[in-house]
Amino acid sequence: MGHRALVGYERPTGGFTVRYSQWGACGYRLLEAITDSTPLGGVRSDNGPSRVRPGPLGVAEDLGALAAEYVDPIAHEAVFVVSETYCVRAFEPLAFWRDAPTAAYGGALVSLRRERDPSVDARELRAWRRGASATGLPSTDATVDDAERARAHRRLYDALVADVDGRRVERIPPRTREA
């Protein structure tokens, strides 16, 4: 299964080239592993293959598009954004679900604070998500239409933005597929 992550490399013309990493979210190691001399996070060694696959998944015009088009908040455990000077930022994908993992309510991509341990910061964000989703979403027993899903997503997204003041937050829109 792995610790799946997406990595967005800033493009000189704007936007991001999006790549995949099977193990990149494990301990947020890519924060330290991606450098100008190791742009894909390392090479094959005793620790395994390169951490970021060289083949791009596509191009996103900005961080919002990366979150909306590429991030699956159930499948991806982390997202990294790499500047042209190889400054790496980590983001936590949060899925909004109550009784069972689903992408039906969407979620959000939230920046982790640079001054904190990323694993601790991410754990606190996931705790917020569990509490907010438990009270802000209808039960899976209820018949919920797309309009109610969109309203529930907006309520949780707005509450998250208010609670994580000063962080970058991008929407991951509701999707119809189950996890």
Side-chain angles (χ1 to χ4, degrees):
M1 196 156 149
H3 294 275
R4 296 169 291 196
L6 293 178
V7 183
Y9 291 87
E10 204 172 76
R11 300 166 55 92
T13 57
F16 298 95
T17 299
V18 182
R19 290 188 166 87
Y20 174 79
S21 175
Q22 181 70 24
W23 293 96
C26 184
Y28 293 90
R29 291 184 199 145
L30 287 180
L31 281 170
E32 303 293 327
I34 294 175
T35 66
D36 59 349
S37 62
T38 58
L40 297 178
V43 295
R44 186 165 182 79
S45 67
D46 293 336
N47 295 331
S50 171
R51 290 192 174 109
V52 180
R53 292 186 182 163
L57 298 174
V59 175
E61 66 184 41
D62 57 24
L63 188 60
L66 191 153
E69 297 167 19
Y70 291 94
V71 178
D72 180 332
I74 302 292
H76 300 119
E77 296 178 45
V79 174
F80 299 91
V81 172
V82 183
S83 74
E84 290 184 70
T85 59
Y86 294 96
C87 177
V88 184
R89 293 285 318 260
F91 291 80
E92 178 71 13
L94 298 175
F96 298 151
W97 52 272
R98 180 176 177 162
D99 299 325
T102 178
Y105 291 99
L109 189 62
V110 184
S111 64
L112 298 180
R113 291 178 271 184
R114 292 179 192 261
E115 69 277 4
R116 296 206 57 211
D117 177 314
S119 296
V120 171
D121 205 19
R123 190 170 43 247
E124 289 173 3
L125 287 170
R126 289 189 297 270
W128 180 94
R129 193 249 343 133
R130 283 190 303 275
S133 292
T135 60
L137 293 176
S139 171
T140 56
D141 297 334
T143 303
V144 180
D145 63 11
D146 288 342
E148 178 54 29
R149 279 191 185 98
R151 284 190 296 275
H153 172 80
R154 176 50 73 186
R155 283 191 308 270
L156 287 168
Y157 179 80
D158 290 345
L160 177 65
V161 169
D163 282 351
V164 298
D165 189 36
R167 295 190 198 213
R168 181 85 185 255
V169 181
E170 296 292 340
R171 288 183 73 241
I172 300 173
R175 294 185 172 90
T176 55
R177 78 157 185 85
E178 296 297 314

